PDB file of all heavy atoms in Angstrom:
ATOM      1  N   SER A 966      66.301 -30.625   1.487  1.00 98.00           N
ATOM      2  CA  SER A 966      65.887 -31.975   1.086  1.00 98.00           C
ATOM      3  C   SER A 966      66.937 -32.665   0.205  1.00 98.00           C
ATOM      4  O   SER A 966      66.607 -33.279  -0.824  1.00 98.00           O
ATOM      5  CB  SER A 966      64.514 -31.924   0.406  1.00 98.00           C
ATOM      6  OG  SER A 966      63.558 -31.478   1.355  1.00 98.00           O
ATOM      7  N   SER A 967      68.196 -32.538   0.623  1.00 98.00           N
ATOM      8  CA  SER A 967      69.347 -33.219  -0.013  1.00 98.00           C
ATOM      9  C   SER A 967      69.599 -32.806  -1.460  1.00 98.00           C
ATOM     10  O   SER A 967      70.379 -33.449  -2.164  1.00 98.00           O
ATOM     11  CB  SER A 967      69.201 -34.753   0.031  1.00 98.00           C
ATOM     12  OG  SER A 967      69.049 -35.224   1.331  1.00 98.00           O
ATOM     13  N   SER A 968      68.970 -31.754  -1.924  1.00 98.00           N
ATOM     14  CA  SER A 968      69.098 -31.416  -3.348  1.00 98.00           C
ATOM     15  C   SER A 968      70.519 -30.969  -3.679  1.00 98.00           C
ATOM     16  O   SER A 968      71.227 -30.411  -2.837  1.00 98.00           O
ATOM     17  CB  SER A 968      68.120 -30.315  -3.728  1.00 98.00           C
ATOM     18  OG  SER A 968      68.543 -29.137  -3.133  1.00 98.00           O
ATOM     19  N   SER A 969      70.906 -31.235  -4.940  1.00 98.00           N
ATOM     20  CA  SER A 969      72.230 -30.806  -5.372  1.00 98.00           C
ATOM     21  C   SER A 969      72.191 -30.315  -6.821  1.00 98.00           C
ATOM     22  O   SER A 969      72.481 -29.157  -7.093  1.00 98.00           O
ATOM     23  CB  SER A 969      73.218 -31.952  -5.205  1.00 98.00           C
ATOM     24  OG  SER A 969      74.492 -31.566  -5.597  1.00 98.00           O
ATOM     25  N   ARG A 970      71.854 -31.188  -7.769  1.00 98.00           N
ATOM     26  CA  ARG A 970      71.781 -30.812  -9.189  1.00 98.00           C
ATOM     27  C   ARG A 970      70.619 -31.566  -9.828  1.00 98.00           C
ATOM     28  O   ARG A 970      70.132 -32.550  -9.269  1.00 98.00           O
ATOM     29  CB  ARG A 970      73.060 -31.221  -9.932  1.00 98.00           C
ATOM     30  CG  ARG A 970      74.351 -30.689  -9.367  1.00 98.00           C
ATOM     31  CD  ARG A 970      74.570 -29.217  -9.698  1.00 98.00           C
ATOM     32  NE  ARG A 970      75.930 -28.828  -9.393  1.00 98.00           N
ATOM     33  CZ  ARG A 970      76.406 -28.528  -8.180  1.00 98.00           C
ATOM     34  NH1 ARG A 970      75.614 -28.581  -7.122  1.00 98.00           N
ATOM     35  NH2 ARG A 970      77.673 -28.181  -8.019  1.00 98.00           N
ATOM     36  N   PHE A 971      70.228 -31.144 -11.035  1.00 98.00           N
ATOM     37  CA  PHE A 971      69.247 -31.917 -11.801  1.00 98.00           C
ATOM     38  C   PHE A 971      69.478 -31.701 -13.285  1.00 98.00           C
ATOM     39  O   PHE A 971      70.063 -30.695 -13.702  1.00 98.00           O
ATOM     40  CB  PHE A 971      67.804 -31.579 -11.384  1.00 98.00           C
ATOM     41  CG  PHE A 971      67.365 -30.175 -11.712  1.00 98.00           C
ATOM     42  CD1 PHE A 971      66.623 -29.897 -12.856  1.00 98.00           C
ATOM     43  CD2 PHE A 971      67.692 -29.123 -10.863  1.00 98.00           C
ATOM     44  CE1 PHE A 971      66.218 -28.604 -13.154  1.00 98.00           C
ATOM     45  CE2 PHE A 971      67.299 -27.824 -11.163  1.00 98.00           C
ATOM     46  CZ  PHE A 971      66.562 -27.556 -12.309  1.00 98.00           C
ATOM     47  N   ILE A 972      69.012 -32.692 -14.051  1.00 98.00           N
ATOM     48  CA  ILE A 972      69.207 -32.682 -15.499  1.00 98.00           C
ATOM     49  C   ILE A 972      67.854 -32.995 -16.131  1.00 98.00           C
ATOM     50  O   ILE A 972      67.206 -33.981 -15.742  1.00 98.00           O
ATOM     51  CB  ILE A 972      70.236 -33.776 -15.908  1.00 98.00           C
ATOM     52  CG1 ILE A 972      71.577 -33.484 -15.230  1.00 98.00           C
ATOM     53  CG2 ILE A 972      70.391 -33.873 -17.424  1.00 98.00           C
ATOM     54  CD1 ILE A 972      72.288 -34.709 -14.731  1.00 98.00           C
ATOM     55  N   LEU A 973      67.429 -32.166 -17.066  1.00 98.00           N
ATOM     56  CA  LEU A 973      66.156 -32.418 -17.747  1.00 98.00           C
ATOM     57  C   LEU A 973      66.416 -33.046 -19.108  1.00 98.00           C
ATOM     58  O   LEU A 973      67.327 -32.642 -19.826  1.00 98.00           O
ATOM     59  CB  LEU A 973      65.377 -31.104 -17.928  1.00 98.00           C
ATOM     60  CG  LEU A 973      65.000 -30.355 -16.644  1.00 98.00           C
ATOM     61  CD1 LEU A 973      64.261 -29.067 -16.986  1.00 98.00           C
ATOM     62  CD2 LEU A 973      64.136 -31.239 -15.739  1.00 98.00           C
ATOM     63  N   GLY A 974      65.594 -34.038 -19.463  1.00 98.00           N
ATOM     64  CA  GLY A 974      65.685 -34.653 -20.779  1.00 98.00           C
ATOM     65  C   GLY A 974      64.580 -34.134 -21.672  1.00 98.00           C
ATOM     66  O   GLY A 974      64.070 -33.036 -21.491  1.00 98.00           O
ATOM     67  N   GLY A 975      64.195 -34.937 -22.632  1.00 95.00           N
ATOM     68  CA  GLY A 975      63.158 -34.463 -23.547  1.00 95.00           C
ATOM     69  C   GLY A 975      62.505 -35.621 -24.279  1.00 95.00           C
ATOM     70  O   GLY A 975      62.871 -36.777 -24.069  1.00 95.00           O
ATOM     71  N   PRO A 976      61.536 -35.356 -25.153  1.00 95.00           N
ATOM     72  CA  PRO A 976      61.009 -34.018 -25.416  1.00 95.00           C
ATOM     73  C   PRO A 976      60.030 -33.596 -24.322  1.00 95.00           C
ATOM     74  O   PRO A 976      59.763 -34.370 -23.409  1.00 95.00           O
ATOM     75  CB  PRO A 976      60.287 -34.217 -26.756  1.00 95.00           C
ATOM     76  CG  PRO A 976      59.821 -35.640 -26.721  1.00 95.00           C
ATOM     77  CD  PRO A 976      60.860 -36.397 -25.946  1.00 95.00           C
ATOM     78  N   CYS A 977      59.494 -32.388 -24.465  1.00 94.00           N
ATOM     79  CA  CYS A 977      58.462 -31.919 -23.534  1.00 94.00           C
ATOM     80  C   CYS A 977      57.128 -32.520 -23.997  1.00 94.00           C
ATOM     81  O   CYS A 977      56.776 -32.377 -25.158  1.00 94.00           O
ATOM     82  CB  CYS A 977      58.357 -30.403 -23.580  1.00 94.00           C
ATOM     83  SG  CYS A 977      59.890 -29.587 -23.151  1.00 94.00           S
ATOM     84  N   SER A 978      56.427 -33.202 -23.092  1.00 94.00           N
ATOM     85  CA  SER A 978      55.153 -33.832 -23.481  1.00 94.00           C
ATOM     86  C   SER A 978      54.006 -33.194 -22.731  1.00 94.00           C
ATOM     87  O   SER A 978      54.124 -32.913 -21.535  1.00 94.00           O
ATOM     88  CB  SER A 978      55.128 -35.311 -23.102  1.00 94.00           C
ATOM     89  OG  SER A 978      56.195 -35.968 -23.657  1.00 94.00           O
ATOM     90  N   LYS A 979      52.876 -33.058 -23.425  1.00 94.00           N
ATOM     91  CA  LYS A 979      51.676 -32.561 -22.735  1.00 94.00           C
ATOM     92  C   LYS A 979      51.156 -33.684 -21.835  1.00 94.00           C
ATOM     93  O   LYS A 979      51.114 -34.842 -22.257  1.00 94.00           O
ATOM     94  CB  LYS A 979      50.617 -32.214 -23.779  1.00 94.00           C
ATOM     95  CG  LYS A 979      50.922 -30.940 -24.545  1.00 94.00           C
ATOM     96  CD  LYS A 979      49.605 -30.299 -24.962  1.00 94.00           C
ATOM     97  CE  LYS A 979      49.715 -28.864 -25.333  1.00 94.00           C
ATOM     98  NZ  LYS A 979      50.662 -28.499 -26.347  1.00 94.00           N
ATOM     99  N   PRO A 980      50.745 -33.367 -20.602  1.00 92.00           N
ATOM    100  CA  PRO A 980      50.337 -34.453 -19.697  1.00 92.00           C
ATOM    101  C   PRO A 980      49.059 -35.150 -20.146  1.00 92.00           C
ATOM    102  O   PRO A 980      48.808 -36.288 -19.773  1.00 92.00           O
ATOM    103  CB  PRO A 980      50.136 -33.744 -18.359  1.00 92.00           C
ATOM    104  CG  PRO A 980      49.925 -32.321 -18.692  1.00 92.00           C
ATOM    105  CD  PRO A 980      50.632 -32.050 -19.970  1.00 92.00           C
TER     106      PRO A 980
END
Side-chain angles (χ1 to χ4, degrees):
S966 296
S967 303
S968 70
S969 181
R970 304 284 192 280
F971 66 98
I972 299 140
L973 300 179
C977 301
S978 304
K979 286 210 162 55

